[in-house]
Amino acid sequence: MNIAPNSHSRTRKRLMAAAASVAIAGAIGFGAVATGNAPVLAEAVRVEAPQVPSFADVVERVSPAVVSVRVKSKIESTADDGSDLPDAFGNLPDDPQLRRFFREFRGFGDQDGRDGMRRFGRADRQPRPVAQGSGFFISEDGYLVTNNHVVGEGSSFTVVMHDGKELDAKLVGTDPRTDLAVLKVEGEGKFTYVDFADDSKVRVGDWVVAVGNPFGLGGTVTAGIVSARGRDIGAGPYDDFIQIDASVNRGNSGGPTFNLNGQVVGINTAIFSPSGGSVGIAFDIPASTAKQVVQDLMKDGTVQRGWLGVEIQPVTSEIAESLGLKSDKGALVSSAQDDGPGKEAGLSAGDVITQVDGKDVASPKELARLIGAYPPGKPVDVTLWRDGKSETVKVDLGTLPSTDKQASADQQPSAPPKADTLADLGLTVTRSDDGKGLVVTDVDPDSDAADRGIQPGDVITSVNSTEVNGTEDVAKAMADAVKSGRKAVLMQITRDDSNRFVALPVAKG
């Protein structure tokens, strides 16, 4: 129905008058309730609005210290099959499903979306930009922090300041094990910089602010909370990430995450994302880790870590039971390297390391972080559980090798024709060629041994720290465990020249 001009004018005036009445009523805390032609004022419900925090003051102070990092490199063009992953994940087995899973734990460096790892360039190897990440100044004389996976393949580096000014930078040093790098900008005057926080005081639920350069858009701020502490995502031996839900995307790599005091609590380094963009799960290198590494890099461009020289594995509840431990804390030594300081000090397979210099060892990761925090040559007291009792040995730490020792897969154990059965364990075994240990030739798929990953070709070298040369040795060890009231035996297994321990229940025996 069309409204005539005069009618429209009267209707508009009535609506304006009604709106004014409501506004006046709202201002004095009352609402108008129509009764006939006369409005009746009724008292309205008033709710105290919560105080909403603003991050503006923090952002204003810290933003000048946050920069964008552009990287150029001479890299030959290669076909992108989607298989390259950030260095932090190391070499993965040739398993498409496993690689696809770990690809979702992505570093996120360049705006093109290949995590600072996608290769650009032509066959003539002309310098081309391959990464664009973030970073932040930690000193007034131009030192800044970013991720190793942002600058790792770079030959030249440009820092874009908060005001758009571009400055050349040089690489001071990198640490692939923690995915950290330090650049140095030469320039006149002093740079605005930020400090690292004491991240031991960071609690799950605390507000945080992430600042960086996602997708190359320029300085961008997002906020969220700390979602978890101590995350292990399989990126490296020192995983101890802070998980946050602030929106973090490609290009945020190397950017800082601040607390409300404007201090850096973590450095953005990875996200979990099936889609490739932020889904609210991001991982930060803790400030405590970054601070020590950065200091070492600024000193001489390298990080020297202590080295114990042992291969270790977690202590499960069944392993703890088989060894008479009260808890499943610690790190079980599966082997001591011949040239390592641990073996020289007397550490051997089957020992469980429970403390280092009086500090509790909760897991193999914790042991790696504790040992790595010491300088080479440092003498440390290692407390271990051996033969049902605790003892302490002194170890002079060595220097962590630049590359991890790789197990050789050249030799595969072969099974002699005659086999014996360990029925209670679901194993068929035969003596090894050298007479030391029992070679597993068959595993019952419904057995506890199969559930714990024992495979044909594995060699059982000891049970409960007693060398095994025949099935009678296994039977005796099982009987002794039952007499001692233990519910499991601890088997030392050798596979491809690497050792590990497996606890098997003996209740049936």
Side-chain angles (χ1 to χ4, degrees), residues 91-432:
N91 295 321
L92 295 176
D94 189 16
D95 184 329
Q97 292 183 346
L98 182 64
R99 296 186 69 84
R100 183 166 57 252
F101 172 79
F102 271 96
R103 193 175 298 115
E104 293 178 349
F105 285 105
R106 310 172 73 137
F108 37 96
D110 64 288
Q111 58 183 330
D112 189 71
R114 286 305 305 156
D115 313 331
M117 295 292 290
R118 184 168 185 163
R119 295 176 175 86
F120 291 78
R122 302 188 298 269
D124 57 3
R125 298 175 62 85
Q126 293 298 316
R128 297 290 300 274
V130 296
Q132 181 165 297
S134 303
F136 59 97
F137 285 107
I138 55 168
S139 70
E140 64 180 12
D141 57 346
Y143 284 97
L144 64 92
V145 178
T146 186
N147 279 148
N148 172 71
H149 78 258
V150 171
V151 301
E153 294 181 344
S155 60
S156 64
F157 313 95
T158 301
V159 170
V160 183
M161 304 291 288
H162 179 64
D163 58 5
K165 185 178 181 180
E166 297 185 4
L167 299 172
D168 291 335
K170 66 178 182 179
L171 183 63
V172 175
T174 64
D175 182 40
R177 286 186 170 92
T178 56
D179 195 23
L180 289 169
V182 173
L183 298 173
K184 178 69 163 61
V185 174
E186 302 294 345
E188 298 180 358
K190 298 179 179 180
F191 295 94
T192 300
Y193 68 96
V194 290
D195 294 321
F196 287 110
D198 179 1
D199 65 69
S200 66
K201 297 179 181 179
V202 175
R203 301 177 301 166
V204 174
D206 281 349
W207 282 105
V208 290
V209 179
V211 185
N213 183 28
F215 303 110
L217 296 172
T220 301
V221 179
T222 57
I225 63 170
V226 174
S227 304
R229 296 292 310 267
R231 287 300 199 211
D232 182 352
I233 63 174
Y238 307 110
D239 279 17
D240 185 27
F241 292 107
I242 298 173
Q243 181 183 327
I244 64 173
D245 72 347
S247 182
V248 172
N249 290 283
R250 304 182 190 110
N252 275 105
S253 275
T257 294
F258 296 99
N259 60 20
L260 298 189
N261 293 324
Q263 297 171 310
V264 178
V265 299
I267 300 171
N268 304 321
T269 192
I271 61 174
F272 176 80
S273 174
S275 65
S278 174
V279 294
I281 302 177
F283 301 100
D284 281 9
I285 303 168
S288 55
T289 299
K291 185 176 181 179
Q292 183 61 51
V293 171
V294 167
Q295 287 176 348
D296 289 344
L297 291 177
M298 290 173 62
K299 183 178 179 181
D300 58 12
T302 63
V303 178
Q304 297 292 323
R305 293 185 173 91
W307 179 55
L308 195 56
V310 296
E311 296 180 6
I312 51 179
Q313 68 180 79
V315 178
T316 65
S317 57
E318 289 181 334
I319 289 177
E321 166 68 26
S322 69
L323 294 174
L325 280 167
K326 295 181 180 179
S327 70
D328 57 1
K329 306 295 184 183
L332 175 62
V333 178
S334 56
S335 67
Q337 298 180 20
D338 291 336
D339 57 347
K343 186 169 186 176
E344 183 177 348
L347 295 179
S348 60
D351 293 340
V352 177
I353 299 174
T354 57
Q355 288 185 332
V356 175
D357 276 348
K359 300 174 184 176
D360 291 337
V361 174
S363 65
K365 288 284 188 180
E366 181 68 19
L367 177 62
R369 286 193 292 268
L370 286 173
I371 296 299
Y374 290 110
K378 170 76 174 177
V380 296
D381 291 327
V382 176
T383 303
L384 51 89
W385 182 262
R386 174 188 292 170
D387 297 332
K389 61 182 180 180
S390 180
E391 59 181 272
T392 300
V393 298
K394 186 175 290 294
V395 182
D396 293 329
L397 298 178
T399 301
L400 183 67
S402 57
T403 57
D404 296 329
K405 183 179 180 180
Q406 299 295 322
S408 171
D410 295 336
Q411 297 180 351
Q412 294 292 338
S414 58
K418 185 178 178 181
D420 295 318
T421 301
L422 295 170
D424 290 339
L425 300 176
L427 297 173
T428 301
V429 297
T430 187
R431 293 178 183 271
S432 64

Side-chain angles (χ1 to χ4, degrees), residues 412-454:
Q412 294 292 338
S414 58
K418 185 178 178 181
D420 295 318
T421 301
L422 295 170
D424 290 339
L425 300 176
L427 297 173
T428 301
V429 297
T430 187
R431 293 178 183 271
S432 64
D433 291 337
D434 59 6
K436 297 180 180 180
L438 296 174
V439 179
V440 177
T441 59
D442 191 30
V443 182
D444 183 349
D446 296 325
S447 67
D448 292 315
D451 291 342
R452 286 155 180 78
I454 295 180

